[in-house]
Amino acid sequence: MPTKILMPALSPTMTEGKLATWQKKEGDTIEAGDVIAEIETDKATMEVEAVDEGTLGKIVVPAGTDAVAVNSVIGIILDEGEDASALDDIDTGAATAPDPAPPPDPTPAPATPTAASAAAPAAPGVPTDGKRIIASPLAKRIAANEGLDLSAVSGSGPHGRIIKRDVEAALASGGAKAPAADSQSAAAPAASAPAPQIDDSTLPPFEDLPNSSMRKVIAKRLSESKQSVPHFYLTVDCELDNLLALRKELNSRSDDYKISVNDFVIRAAAITLGKVPGANAMWAGDSIKRFNRADISVAVSIPDGLITPVIRDAGSKGLIAISNEMKELAAKAREGKLMPEEYQGGTMSVSNLGMYGIKNFSAIINPPQGCILAVGAGEQRPVVKDGALAVATVMSVTLAVDHRVIDGALGAEYLAAFKPLIEDPVNMLL
């Protein structure tokens, strides 16, 4: 019997993805473990391996298709001895779970239809007698697009399920059309973030660049963070001269590693969470989750946005280990090869724009974390030491804090413990 290849869920939160490429073509022999396709999620591009052997009989979803729902059929594998005729009876609709029972209506149902309900037309595919129609998502989509009333269609799939060929047959025979919705009474679904209305005729020449899955998720998550998380910001200046001298000395000892300023920042951020455990927390509605380990998410810029691979238990790792792990994770991020466990679950984030010459900035919290540290460039500034004017290399860092979790005094305590580690970094080696 032919085997369906389903769109996999590559992370706990994934609901859809882009089928980036097919590594096999129709007619190719497939062995278990072969890479057959690449799926682009909101975070990375990941390979899909075959779990069965046979021949790729049909590609249902072509390469480059965006917004493919999890558990949708993307291809079909034929067993040994089967030919293309075996595909005829295969339903290529998405695998669906049984419909959940509707929640109880808090208000009693009226004994007779109201004027509003009597005037409202039935939606495509919803019978007026209240009976539920069993149809594949693909069949429903085609019916909705063509205005076909599924209540008048007989299903030939398992248990009378309406599938694609039933809809196509009904359309070919001039099946009943669903009543058109009243444009005055039908309410369009509300968009969570409506696009601005732009008069293109007033704009200079431009090109429309479709948003990738990653860019859509970034827009959604950061909009929600800025709108729903009560941010406040604390900034402190740290002198870097001792850190730069120590970094130069450590890097001169071997060619096997190259420690960056950011590696010092990651370790200092993690050590400070150990010193100020109240800051290593996140809001969870009915509770505040306080963590016993510092897992530091580090923002990495990639072509279509940014991603935050995580250095696990960074406070227990040395600078060389952090440096090597960060380089490996950053390379995988830029290649789109990060696994979900490598970018999910951090307890705090670090975002460094110092390499771009940015003096200071305020970052948006990466939900559900409680804070994010924004790191600016080190630059020579005039400072006063022992009552005399001097010049020092100074770096500004700004802590963005979720006020539901961390109050101002606690945030200040965190920066007060972070600053000495940066200014006297030998303490990080002890």
Side-chain angles (χ1 to χ4, degrees), residues 28-397:
D28 282 357
T29 300
I30 294 176
E31 300 289 339
D34 284 353
V35 175
I36 55 176
E38 289 187 339
I39 304 298
E40 180 184 314
T41 70
D42 58 311
K43 296 293 186 180
T45 300
M46 304 178 70
E47 296 176 339
V48 177
E49 295 183 356
V51 295
D52 296 288
E53 58 184 25
T55 301
L56 184 55
K58 184 177 182 180
I59 291 176
V60 177
V61 177
T65 303
D66 203 355
V68 182
V70 166
N71 287 335
S72 295
V73 179
I74 60 175
I76 299 174
I77 297 176
L78 296 173
D79 289 341
E80 184 178 357
E82 292 181 327
D83 57 26
S85 63
L87 299 170
D88 294 341
D89 296 328
I90 298 297
D91 174 18
T92 57
T96 57
D99 290 347
D105 189 345
T107 59
T112 58
T114 64
S117 65
V126 179
T128 56
D129 61 3
K131 294 181 180 178
R132 188 170 72 89
I133 290 177
I134 303 175
S136 72
L138 180 59
K140 291 179 180 178
R141 185 163 64 249
I142 295 173
N145 290 341
E146 298 294 335
L148 179 68
D149 184 0
L150 284 180
S151 63
V153 178
S154 298
S156 62
H159 308 293
R161 192 181 195 211
I162 300 171
I163 58 179
K164 176 185 175 183
R165 67 177 176 216
D166 302 322
V167 173
E168 291 174 339
L171 290 171
S173 63
K177 295 289 185 177
D182 182 354
S183 61
Q184 298 299 318
S185 60
S192 58
Q197 298 300 312
I198 301 174
D199 182 359
D200 290 352
S201 66
T202 67
L203 302 178
F206 65 93
E207 61 175 319
D208 275 317
L209 304 176
N211 286 319
S212 66
S213 298
M214 173 176 284
R215 180 52 58 187
K216 291 175 183 176
V217 170
I218 289 173
K220 180 176 183 294
R221 284 175 55 82
L222 294 188
S223 294
E224 290 175 351
S225 175
K226 195 64 175 174
Q227 292 169 4
S228 63
V229 176
H231 289 60
F232 74 91
Y233 305 93
L234 301 169
T235 301
V236 70
D237 292 335
C238 303
E239 294 187 17
L240 282 184
D241 296 290
N242 290 337
L243 186 150
L244 295 176
L246 178 59
R247 172 178 175 260
K248 182 177 180 180
E249 179 185 347
L250 293 174
N251 284 339
S252 68
R253 295 184 178 186
S254 174
D255 294 328
D256 294 336
Y257 56 83
K258 185 175 178 60
I259 300 171
S260 70
V261 172
N262 207 46
D263 298 328
F264 280 94
V265 171
I266 294 168
R267 178 157 167 75
I271 292 174
T272 306
L273 287 178
K275 293 176 177 290
V276 188
N280 196 20
M282 65 175 58
W283 180 258
D286 293 335
S287 68
I288 291 175
K289 296 185 183 297
R290 182 173 293 177
F291 302 101
N292 299 322
R293 189 181 76 186
D295 291 353
I296 306 297
S297 302
V298 185
V300 173
S301 177
I302 58 178
D304 200 35
L306 60 85
I307 193 169
T308 52
V310 181
I311 304 293
R312 307 286 177 187
D313 199 9
S316 69
K317 294 177 179 176
L319 290 166
I320 295 175
I322 290 174
S323 179
N324 291 338
E325 187 174 344
M326 195 62 239
K327 287 180 176 63
E328 180 182 349
L329 289 171
K332 292 178 71 174
R334 295 185 180 103
E335 295 168 0
K337 300 299 183 183
L338 282 177
M339 300 299 290
E341 60 268 21
E342 293 175 316
Y343 59 78
Q344 294 177 345
T347 64
M348 174 188 181
S349 290
V350 169
S351 180
N352 190 341
L353 293 179
M355 65 285 293
Y356 297 104
I358 301 301
K359 182 177 179 180
N360 59 66
F361 67 103
S362 299
I364 298 175
I365 293 170
N366 182 19
Q369 295 175 9
C371 57
I372 181 171
L373 190 69
V375 183
E379 60 175 3
Q380 290 197 326
R381 302 183 199 170
V383 297
V384 177
K385 293 186 177 181
D386 299 324
L389 189 64
V391 175
T393 306
V394 179
M395 175 182 74
S396 295
V397 296

Side-chain angles (χ1 to χ4, degrees), residues 405-420:
V405 183
I406 302 169
D407 294 325
L410 185 59
E413 183 182 348
Y414 178 89
L415 287 181
F418 175 84
K419 179 180 170 76

